[in-house]
Amino acid sequence: MQPKPDNWSARWLIAGLLGFLIFWIGLPYVLPVRNHEMTAGRSLVIERAEGFLKERGYPVEEYEVTARFFGDDRFGYAWHVTDYDTAMVLSRHDSLGLISPYWMVYFYKNVARSSPQRQFQVYLSPTGKITGYDFTLTGIENQEWGPAHLTPEEARQSAINQILRFGIDTTGFREKEVVSNRREQRTDHQFWFYKPDSVLKTTIRLGVLIAGSENTFLDMNVELPTSYRSDEAQSNSLAVLGGNISAFAFIIVLAFLLATFLKKYHEGEVGVSSAKMVFWLTWLVLSVDTINMLPVSPFGWGLGELSFDWIAVVQLTGRLLIFNPVAALAAFTAWSIGESYLREQHSQKMAALDGLLNRQFSTLQLAISVSRGYLAGFTLLGLMVIGMLVVILAGGKTVLSNYTPAWSSWMPAINPILAGVAGSLTAELIFRLFGNQYFSRRLKNQWAGILVSNTLWMFYAVSFWNVTFLNDAIPTLVFLFLAGLYFTWLMIRWDVLTAIMANFTVASLVSLVPFVFADPSAFWMVSVPAALLICIPAGFAISGFIRKEAFSYNPDTTPAHIRRITERVRLSRELEIARQVQLKLLPKSSPAFPGADIAGACIPALEVGGDYFDYIAISPTKMGIAVGDVSGKGLPAAIYMTLTKGIVQSNAESGTLPSRVLTKVNQLLSRTIEKGNFVSMFYAILDAESRTMTIARAGHNPAVWLLGDGKTENLKPEGLALGMERGDRFEKVIKDQTVSLSPGDIIVFYTDGYTEAMNESREEFGEERLLAAIRHQSGKPAQAIITAINDEVRKFCGQAPQHDDMTIVVIRIT
């Protein structure tokens, strides 16, 4: 049967298109997407930096080179002291790199950190203009960059000439500090010039270093006030803390994943065939991303004396062989367990992914899910922009720093799709497919489980889902929490692939933003391929709508674990039906009988059980009461119980003695019951006129008779269990016992599930505790006595599982 698009189409088409328009039009108004001034990419800035050094006579061909793009901390300060529009204007006209992002091109030799070497750092604006440099010496003799002993005046003139050569207007600058350091072969002069800026409400600092006769340092920057630096330091501390919490949340979920996977794999409830594909896909995507970001990964790291390149090798090895496999293992186990959980109740939510994993890329199920995912993702992007606008109006800020590594990678065009696939796979499989279902089952409440899983996702996403642009912790956490609930709703409402595609759409388009808003003439080779890669699923969706194929397993291709899950689901449903039928065979309410308060309860250990009790109306003043226990548990015991009930009812209404009723039951039951099985039973006839009870016992445990004066007796007339003896021995052994009853007397019939109930130390509840519970509750109605006894048993057993059926009938003489 082919799936058909439902009425989601029109509504979500409108919502998705509207969300995309809000995102596209509104983003520049809420986010510092000043990268539309970006015209220089990684290769261009490296080329210009090399040319700059060659003009100065440095042998750059002897050096390794890399480049990194740095973000918007200084823009954040400009926004802090002015407003968003003013900061944007200042950034667009910032030809000297005061508050705009910048490139740093780094030239180095692959030697130990302490080895003698030159290092060159050249700074460039987003348009590729050189705005500063820093040449340093490590372990090199003093005569390098010399020999020369310039006077301060000569050095100052050289510094000013260099400043003018860079086109820096020196108007308003005042020399504040000169540091001279005379060495054996040369003298170094460091000059600092300062100029107040009324718009930025701070000072612009210009520094120049003349080492011997060489200009080795030039930098102009805004001096960030101490108070702002403290705020930034606090934000950085929170970011580090957030990273640690993210890792902790991931470790917690991974521990649950591994423990649950090992248990379910041992039980044959999960498969690994499709999970292997998930593992390798996750590892491949993460590893390609690792390699792509290799040019910038060593920045900010120090590992002893290791050189820059060797730090990169250590990081690459660690991620390829440790972190990425662990993340892929988490996706592997989450898929295995989550698939097993979902197929038990909602197997149709796996249909689109089943076709995809079986290399059928043009199914209608996939087409519908992919389309819904795109539109749901567009909708969330629009809501995200609206949310950022609210935060800004409330005094908050947004940042663009998450994008800085993307420009520095080997191939920026693949960053968006890598971010989309990695973010959506890990998040949706671990926290939605597995987490929501696992915690809901453990907590026995769907929404409680969703809240726990979503909270863990929220902290995980702080560091591993780089989508939010908010600068403050609280709005960021709120956004992540609501986004997690949104993806959860998509999975519950539709299917797994819809949620994955929605997440993919958000993560990939957010990662595409800096390239789209950059200079199109300079970056169309990045933005166009990146956009086409994001649209690959759309191509499969179009093909699916055209071909309208439906994927379904056939008996020959259905994986073994899915057959096991299907069979288990079928058996579970059949057992639930059997349980409902069995419950209907038990008395629905306590009988109204003159002179007695009667109540009963039956608690099966499994879905169905072999215990039973029944009330049989013989006359207005006589009632038959039966309590039975079939050997064993589960479905076989339940079948024999149903058979026994029918035989008892058909032979008890004549009002004959209990022993005669049980004899007849034994004769009929022994013809049917398998050898080795038996039924123990108490059958009693309560007589309201004579205030007596006549009982017969077929191998059952004694009944408790608590007299009104507090004395107790065990009622245990002789008798064999039903079905054990097929001749006349049963009739010869079984006896009747008649007792006279008085107001206040209590008779309790029960099965051994009560006395043999065990706690975690395997200690039994026993007859003494049962008798004590009856005594303690003797003044209460029959139903209250049963409730109290059950509470005592549960309290005694604690977390130990119930291992036998429990049935009890209480008769209180009034």
Side-chain angles (χ1 to χ4, degrees), residues 563-579 607-608 635:
R563 291 198 296 268
R564 289 192 294 268
I565 293 170
T566 304
E567 180 66 15
R568 188 175 71 248
V569 171
R570 184 185 64 80
L571 290 175
S572 177
R573 289 174 180 169
E574 290 179 356
L575 285 173
E576 178 60 26
I577 294 172
R579 178 177 179 273
E607 288 87 349
V608 291
L635 193 57

Side-chain angles (χ1 to χ4, degrees), residues 327-594:
L329 178 64
F332 168 89
T333 52
W335 168 265
S336 298
I337 303 165
E339 176 202 26
S340 170
Y341 283 154
L342 202 60
R343 290 191 192 279
E344 291 180 6
Q345 296 179 329
H346 306 289
S347 59
Q348 73 279 4
K349 294 184 182 297
M350 298 295 300
L353 276 177
D354 285 338
L356 186 63
L357 292 172
N358 283 274
R359 295 180 292 279
Q360 294 191 24
F361 304 115
S362 299
T363 65
L364 189 55
Q365 295 105 319
L366 185 143
I368 294 173
S369 296
V370 167
S371 302
R372 281 193 302 228
Y374 274 125
L375 295 174
F378 294 159
T379 303
L380 182 58
L381 287 170
L383 294 173
M384 183 176 69
V385 168
I386 294 173
M388 286 193 292
L389 179 61
V390 171
V391 170
I392 291 173
L393 293 176
K397 291 193 300 181
T398 57
V399 295
L400 198 61
S401 56
N402 287 348
Y403 289 137
T404 55
W407 289 107
S408 317
S409 60
W410 291 117
M411 295 178 289
I414 67 173
N415 275 317
I417 193 170
L418 290 176
V421 174
S424 60
L425 267 184
T426 54
E428 299 311 308
L429 296 186
I430 296 174
F431 294 95
R432 247 71 71 184
L433 182 61
F434 166 77
N436 287 340
Q437 296 183 92
Y438 173 80
F439 290 110
S440 295
R441 290 172 180 239
R442 290 293 298 269
L443 299 174
K444 295 181 172 58
N445 183 284
Q446 183 183 28
W447 282 108
I450 288 173
L451 291 177
V452 170
S453 179
N454 207 52
T455 300
L456 290 171
W457 139 263
M458 175 182 70
F459 289 115
Y460 165 88
V462 168
S463 296
F464 298 110
W465 196 62
N466 293 325
V467 169
T468 179
F469 308 100
L470 302 174
N471 194 44
D472 299 318
I474 299 301
T476 296
L477 293 177
V478 170
F479 165 73
L480 292 174
F481 189 82
L482 294 177
L485 289 180
Y486 180 76
F487 293 133
T488 296
W489 177 79
L490 292 175
M491 187 172 293
I492 293 174
R493 175 65 178 82
W494 283 302
D495 58 16
V496 179
L497 186 57
T498 297
I500 292 176
M501 276 303 306
N503 192 319
F504 168 82
T505 302
V506 173
S508 58
L509 286 182
V510 163
S511 299
L512 183 64
V513 164
F515 307 113
V516 171
F517 282 94
D519 186 341
S521 62
F523 288 99
W524 70 270
M525 289 290 291
V526 174
S527 57
V528 172
L532 291 176
L533 288 173
I534 295 173
C535 291
I536 288 176
F540 293 134
I542 294 171
S543 176
F545 281 123
I546 294 173
R547 301 178 67 175
K548 297 183 179 180
E549 297 177 352
F551 173 80
S552 61
Y553 287 114
N554 59 60
D556 295 329
T557 62
T558 303
H561 76 284
I562 295 180
R563 291 198 296 268
R564 289 192 294 268
I565 293 170
T566 304
E567 180 66 15
R568 188 175 71 248
V569 171
R570 184 185 64 80
L571 290 175
S572 177
R573 289 174 180 169
E574 290 179 356
L575 285 173
E576 178 60 26
I577 294 172
R579 178 177 179 273
Q580 296 299 326
V581 171
Q582 186 180 31
L583 289 176
K584 290 179 181 179
L585 295 177
L586 297 174
K588 295 180 176 61
S589 61
S590 298
F593 189 77

